[in-house]
């Protein structure tokens, strides 16, 4: 078995048996790690210190088809093959891709322990392209998908506003048709938009009619250098390289052909899109927790206090054990979850796993909080310092709110999960009820 620092790798990479990973998954993991280590992980902390990932990194990933793994499984094989993309890194054919391959990619991309560098490359591609693939008209797809899928143009997902975060139905940005019916005129603001600052387009939630969820639509809105659009970066506590952006839209004219799907269906499109977002957040966040806890474990093996190493102190071992139990339980759930995704259709998964996806995302943030706090406390003063041995623990701890708030705030996710479970239970129970007035069982 491999000799690795405890908690630093998932069990299947430590030589332990697993029912989930086939030969194609293991081959993909090896190829993925080699590429991501060379082109991202080894530079990640330096880039995060600088607050930016060099632009050529995105192009390297695009040229290697290493943005494609951001998409939900199964991949859009017809589109990809039409663009000449038949495999990824020569390790896996696009038609053989499943959600376990997605989980491996997401986990590997976060091995630095920092979400920013990975998010700078993947967030827009991951969450803004799928609605176009699923709901966009053929002409809309043909106009935009080739350059987006090949990484020639960048895109972001623009849902959140200053007054509407997890409460998506409260979105205020409006899109009103012109008198001739040829354009929407968009007015409003979007806030905390990852990748926005360098995106040519946004898959944007807008209000095309009255209040509430029924008035929402999705619109593909041009951004960079487009009349009426102004953007500026927002300073946030963590994810410094991810390009968090404030967008102002003043009388922005958008062709009606840029409508994604149908008017008034935006809320439904957004909700189904959230499942992929929340699951990938859960996977990446769990890897962050792993990096924090493993760093603390290694430090405690070396650091001496009161005449012995920290690891020889029972209270230290107790703290590591509690955090480790949470971490490995969470990862086991993640593996079970992605395995279930390989066996269910998209429609089945949205119903059966939708609420649980919210719960997994919320729990990942809770686990990260515990592991990051454990790391900071065990690093002591080093964990409260932005440089030196404890830098990674300090940075990860600063990113905890970035796991617990974006993609659906934790309390909202917990509530949503239970409401969805209740809804499913009531629906299935109703199917078992006998017709009123019937004596038949």
């Amino acid at each position: 078995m491999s000799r690795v620092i405890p908690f630093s790798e998932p069990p299947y990479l430590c030589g332990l048996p697993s029912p989930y990973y086939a030969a194609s998954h293991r081959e993909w993991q090896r190829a993925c790690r080699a590429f991501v280590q060379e082109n991202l992980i080894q530079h990640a902390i330096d880039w995060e210190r600088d607050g930016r990932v060099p632009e050529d990194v995105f192009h390297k990933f695009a040229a290697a088809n290493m943005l494609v793994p951001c998409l939900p499984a199964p991949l859009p094989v017809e589109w990809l093959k039409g663009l000449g993309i038949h495999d990824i890194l020569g390790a896996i054919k696009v038609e053989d891709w499943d959600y376990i391959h997605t989980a491996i990619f997401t986990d590997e991309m976060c091995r630095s322990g920092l979400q920013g560098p990975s998010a700078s490359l993947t967030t827009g591609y991951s969450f803004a392209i799928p609605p176009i693939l699923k709901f966009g008209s053929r002409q809309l797809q043909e106009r935009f998908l080739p350059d987006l899928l090949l990484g020639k143009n960048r895109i972001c997902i623009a849902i959140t506003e200053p007054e509407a975060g997890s409460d998506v139905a409260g979105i205020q940005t409006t899109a009103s048709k012109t008198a001739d019916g040829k354009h929407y005129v968009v007015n409003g603001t979007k806030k905390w938009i990852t990748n926005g600052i360098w995106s040519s387009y946004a898959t944007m939630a807008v209000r095309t009619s009255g209040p509430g969820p029924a008035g929402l639509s999705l619109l593909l809105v041009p951004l960079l250098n487009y009349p009426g659009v102004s953007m500026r970066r927002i300073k946030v506590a963590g994810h410094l390289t991810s390009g968090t952006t404030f967008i102002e839209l003043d009388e922005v004219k958008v062709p009606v052909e840029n409508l994604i799907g149908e008017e008034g269906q935006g809320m439904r499109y957004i909700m189904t899109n959230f499942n992929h977002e929340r699951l990938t957040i859960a996977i990446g966040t769990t890897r962050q927790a792993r990096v924090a806890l493993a760093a603390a474990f290694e430090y405690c093996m070396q650091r001496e206090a009161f005449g012995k190493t920290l690891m020889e102190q029972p209270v230290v071992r107790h703290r590591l054990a509690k955090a480790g139990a949470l971490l490995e339980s969470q990862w086991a759930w993640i593996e079970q979850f992605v395995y279930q995704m390989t066996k269910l259709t998209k429609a089945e998964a949205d119903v059966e796993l939708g609420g649980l996806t919210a719960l997994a995302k919320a729990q990942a943030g809770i686990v990260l909080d515990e592991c990051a706090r454990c790391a900071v406390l065990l690093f002591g003063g080093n964990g409260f310092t932005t440089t030196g041995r404890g830098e990674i623990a300090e940075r990860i701890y600063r990113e905890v709110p970035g796991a617990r708030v974006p993609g659906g705030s934790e309390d909202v996710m917990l509530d949503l999960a239970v409401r969805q479970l209740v809804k499913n239970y009531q629906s299935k129970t109703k199917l078992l009820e006998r017709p009123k007035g019937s004596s038949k069982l």
Side-chain angles (χ1 to χ4, degrees):
M1 289 190 182
S2 302
R3 185 181 177 186
V4 296
I5 298 165
F7 302 123
S8 65
E9 292 285 9
Y12 87 99
L13 291 179
C14 298
L16 294 172
S18 169
Y20 300 122
Y21 301 92
S24 74
H25 299 123
R26 294 181 182 275
E27 183 178 357
W28 164 242
Q29 186 276 328
R30 289 189 291 269
C32 182
R33 176 162 295 193
F35 182 91
V36 173
Q37 176 65 31
E38 179 181 350
N39 293 288
L40 179 68
I41 301 301
Q42 67 172 329
H43 308 292
I45 198 162
D46 291 330
W47 290 338
E48 189 73 0
R49 291 182 190 124
D50 293 340
R52 62 181 296 274
V53 173
E55 189 176 345
D56 70 295
V57 179
F58 180 85
H59 298 304
K60 285 180 183 177
F61 271 73
N65 300 326
M66 278 293 282
L67 299 174
V68 173
C70 301
L71 298 173
L75 297 175
V77 174
E78 182 183 347
W79 268 107
L80 294 175
K81 288 192 171 184
L83 295 170
I85 301 173
H86 297 274
D87 62 70
I88 305 173
L89 298 182
I92 176 73
K93 293 179 180 178
V94 292
E95 63 266 30
D96 294 333
W97 186 271
D98 65 26
Y99 234 108
I100 297 175
H101 296 100
T102 304
I104 291 169
F105 171 78
T106 306
D107 181 59
E108 292 293 331
M109 289 289 284
C110 291
R111 276 183 57 247
S112 70
L114 303 171
Q115 289 279 10
S118 172
S120 75
L121 306 173
T122 63
T123 300
Y125 201 103
S126 296
F127 311 137
I129 293 178
I132 304 172
L133 280 165
K134 294 174 193 171
F135 308 114
S137 65
R138 189 68 188 182
Q139 65 85 15
L140 184 73
Q141 293 174 344
E142 289 174 351
R143 283 168 58 209
F144 292 103
L145 280 180
D147 284 351
L148 291 173
L149 289 170
L150 293 171
K152 294 180 179 179
N153 279 327
R154 301 194 65 171
I155 190 170
C156 62
I157 184 82
I159 308 294
T160 308
E161 299 180 2
E163 303 301 326
S166 297
D167 179 18
V168 175
I171 281 172
Q172 298 174 8
T173 296
T174 59
S176 306
K177 278 186 180 175
T178 54
D180 60 10
K182 293 182 179 180
H183 292 85
Y184 289 101
V185 178
V186 182
N187 287 282
T189 55
K190 295 291 176 179
K191 193 173 185 181
W192 303 293
I193 306 305
T194 306
N195 297 175
I197 198 70
W198 47 66
S199 291
S200 298
Y201 302 98
T203 295
M204 186 177 293
V206 294
R207 186 163 298 284
T208 49
S209 58
L216 296 180
S217 302
L218 283 185
L219 193 62
L220 191 61
V221 178
L223 293 182
L224 272 181
N225 304 315
Y226 198 74
V229 177
S230 61
M231 299 191 287
R232 58 181 171 82
R233 289 187 72 162
I234 303 172
K235 291 185 178 180
V236 286
H239 304 192
L240 306 182
T241 51
S242 65
T244 308
T245 306
F246 186 86
I247 303 173
E248 294 179 275
L249 305 131
D250 182 17
E251 297 291 298
V252 179
K253 291 183 71 175
V254 180
V256 294
E257 291 82 8
N258 283 27
L259 179 69
I260 299 172
E262 301 175 12
E263 274 197 12
Q265 294 297 308
M267 190 68 170
R268 180 170 70 87
Y269 301 160
I270 292 165
M271 290 299 105
T272 60
N273 201 50
F274 270 147
N275 291 334
H276 174 61
E277 178 177 359
R278 288 166 182 160
L279 183 54
T280 53
I281 289 173
I283 296 165
T285 298
T286 305
R287 171 56 84 162
Q288 279 192 286
R290 190 175 291 287
V291 173
L293 193 61
F297 196 104
E298 183 178 29
Y299 182 76
C300 290
M301 294 286 288
Q302 300 166 355
R303 173 74 172 183
E304 292 190 2
F306 305 106
K308 49 186 163 182
T309 64
L310 290 179
M311 192 60 76
E312 294 177 271
Q313 306 286 353
V315 68
V316 169
R317 297 196 299 269
H318 180 74
R319 190 176 288 280
L320 288 169
K322 286 200 303 181
L326 285 173
L327 169 64
E328 296 302 355
S329 298
Q330 173 69 10
W331 180 251
W333 190 18
I334 291 291
E335 287 183 315
Q336 174 187 295
F337 215 107
V338 295
Y339 173 77
Q340 291 166 346
M341 294 287 285
T342 68
K343 300 300 180 182
L344 297 172
T345 66
K346 177 68 169 70
E348 290 171 332
D350 283 345
V351 173
E352 298 296 334
L353 301 180
L356 292 173
T357 305
L359 196 59
K361 187 266 179 188
Q363 180 66 6
I366 293 168
V367 171
L368 175 60
D369 183 49
E370 179 66 29
C371 291
R373 189 155 22 94
C374 171
V376 167
L377 290 171
L378 294 179
F379 269 102
N382 286 323
F384 194 58
T385 306
T386 59
T387 57
R389 294 198 65 183
E391 178 181 4
I392 190 62
E394 189 275 338
R395 286 188 178 275
I396 292 175
Y397 191 58
R398 249 192 290 145
E399 294 198 359
V400 170
R404 302 179 81 173
V405 176
S409 191
E410 186 175 292
D411 292 320
V412 176
M413 293 296 92
L414 295 171
D415 178 65
L416 172 63
V418 174
R419 284 192 291 111
Q420 188 64 44
L421 292 172
V422 169
K423 181 180 177 181
N424 286 355
Y425 172 75
Q426 290 175 334
S427 176
K428 291 174 182 178
T429 302
K430 194 168 184 178
L431 291 174
L432 296 175
E433 292 177 358
R434 64 187 181 192
K436 199 168 184 180
S438 170
S439 61
K440 293 182 181 178
L441 291 176

